[in-house]
Amino acid sequence: MLEKRKIYIMSECTGETADAVLKSALSQFGAEKFDLLRIPYLESVEQLEASLKAACEEHAFVCHTLLSLPMRKAFAELLQKYPVQNIDVLGPILDGLSDYAGIQPQHEPGLIHILDQEYFKRIKAIEFAVKYDDGKSTLGLAEADIVLIGVSRTSKTPLSMYLANKGLKAANVPLVPSIAPPEELFQIKPQRIVGLLIDPFKLNEIRMERLRSIGLMPDASYAKLDCITEEIEYSKSIMRQLRCYIIDVSNRAIEESAQMILEHHYKFFHSNNSL
């Protein structure tokens, strides 16, 4: 068995950018043939030299995303002492953009995480969606930007995750005839609640397929048309009580349903921040 070739990833931040680029490139060569070693948060020339020395001794390839001018200069000088094959992931891009735009880059590591507040907002929204999925807890309903309600298999979870990726905190609550909806649901502004309806025959098909996929008989009450019809009628009655916005997801892709929800949300919450 051939020994794996070693690649050092050096960065003043997390090294995720170089890691992602490398893995994409290595897929063309057989990623299993390479061993990646990430060295993040390089803060001094001494740390950089120690890393380059180790890479040189192991005859490793070096991939870096060094941004600060002192570290870039030190890297270039240290290559005379530790001649390793290397690639500067961001340098050519920065040079090209600088020539095109006629401005100089800031050469400050970590700016992407400092400036991209939307990134952190999305992460928090995704964590929220997971925590308050399928009625796991009602504690977060008051904090949610959007609360999705509907019977089982009406795309509540995928819609919650899609909305989370847009930065919105979405919780979802299943509506079951034998279980009363949580009281917290009736304390939320109706504009924050979205009811999901679906054609009974369509839901029948979805649930039958679901039962087959997990090895159960498709004639269980969960997939019976009369039971489904009862569930949907019950859900309609709850939605009427809540006076919430309702959409039919029967023949809509997740993206289409999500767009309708987003338009409804922005209609109310951009024009009236008190809701």
Side-chain angles (χ1 to χ4, degrees):
M1 182 177 178
L2 292 174
E3 185 178 352
K4 287 187 176 182
R5 296 177 182 273
K6 184 156 288 188
I7 300 177
Y8 276 53
I9 300 172
M10 300 182 186
S11 174
E12 292 160 289
C13 201
T14 63
E16 291 177 2
T17 299
D19 187 77
V21 171
L22 263 177
K23 286 177 179 175
S24 178
L26 292 179
S27 67
Q28 302 299 312
F29 299 92
E32 72 281 354
K33 300 174 184 175
F34 299 87
D35 186 15
L36 273 58
L37 175 63
R38 195 192 302 189
I39 305 176
Y41 304 114
L42 289 171
E43 297 179 346
S44 67
V45 174
E46 290 74 22
Q47 289 176 324
L48 179 60
E49 181 170 7
S51 300
L52 270 175
K53 180 181 178 182
C56 188
E57 290 173 350
E58 293 196 78
H59 305 289
F61 183 88
V62 172
C63 180
H64 77 83
T65 52
L66 300 173
L67 281 170
S68 70
L69 291 175
M71 290 291 272
R72 290 176 67 81
K73 180 182 178 183
F75 184 89
E77 292 174 350
L78 286 167
L79 285 179
Q80 305 301 315
K81 187 176 181 180
Y82 307 107
V84 296
Q85 284 186 275
N86 67 92
I87 189 166
D88 178 357
V89 175
L90 294 177
I93 299 174
L94 292 174
D95 291 342
L97 288 173
S98 181
D99 288 343
Y100 171 73
I103 54 177
Q104 293 298 311
Q106 297 183 52
H107 291 292
E108 292 183 32
L111 284 183
I112 186 172
H113 299 300
I114 295 172
L115 298 178
D116 191 5
Q117 294 302 320
E118 287 301 312
Y119 168 81
F120 292 105
K121 186 177 179 181
R122 288 195 301 273
I123 294 300
K124 288 182 179 179
I126 290 170
E127 291 173 348
F128 186 93
V130 171
K131 186 175 182 179
Y132 298 108
D133 179 45
D134 203 32
K136 288 177 186 174
S137 171
T138 59
L139 297 177
L141 295 184
E143 300 175 42
D145 298 309
I146 296 171
V147 178
L148 305 176
I149 61 173
V151 301
S152 174
R153 313 309 292 182
T154 49
S155 304
K156 295 188 298 297
T157 296
L159 277 171
S160 292
M161 295 306 296
Y162 189 100
L163 295 168
N165 274 284
K166 297 295 183 180
L168 294 174
K169 294 184 292 184
N172 70 78
V173 177
L175 296 179
V176 184
S178 59
I179 303 174
E183 281 299 319
E184 292 87 345
L185 198 58
F186 294 88
Q187 298 167 7
I188 302 170
K189 294 283 186 180
Q191 293 87 350
R192 293 190 184 275
I193 305 173
V194 177
L196 306 176
L197 291 180
I198 190 170
D199 177 75
F201 293 97
K202 179 72 173 178
L203 185 55
N204 172 250
E205 293 175 10
I206 294 171
R207 288 189 176 182
M208 287 178 65
E209 184 57 37
R210 172 59 179 163
L211 290 173
R212 289 192 192 96
S213 71
I214 59 177
L216 298 178
M217 297 298 290
D219 59 351
S221 59
Y222 175 73
K224 286 184 177 178
L225 190 57
D226 56 346
C227 292
I228 287 173
T229 302
E230 179 186 343
E231 284 185 56
I232 291 175
E233 288 305 314
Y234 170 76
S235 71
K236 286 180 180 178
S237 69
I238 298 299
M239 292 172 195
R240 284 194 293 268
Q241 291 179 51
L242 293 168
R243 296 179 291 109
C244 65
Y245 176 59
I246 299 173
I247 64 172
D248 190 327
V249 300
S250 302
N251 297 303
R252 289 192 169 96
I254 296 297
E255 294 82 1
E256 185 181 358
S257 298
Q259 188 57 41
M260 293 177 68
I261 295 170
L262 289 170
E263 288 174 1
H264 165 77
H265 177 79
Y266 292 132
K267 174 184 175 182
F268 284 96
F269 295 96
H270 278 210
S271 61
N272 189 343
N273 292 328
S274 65
L275 291 177

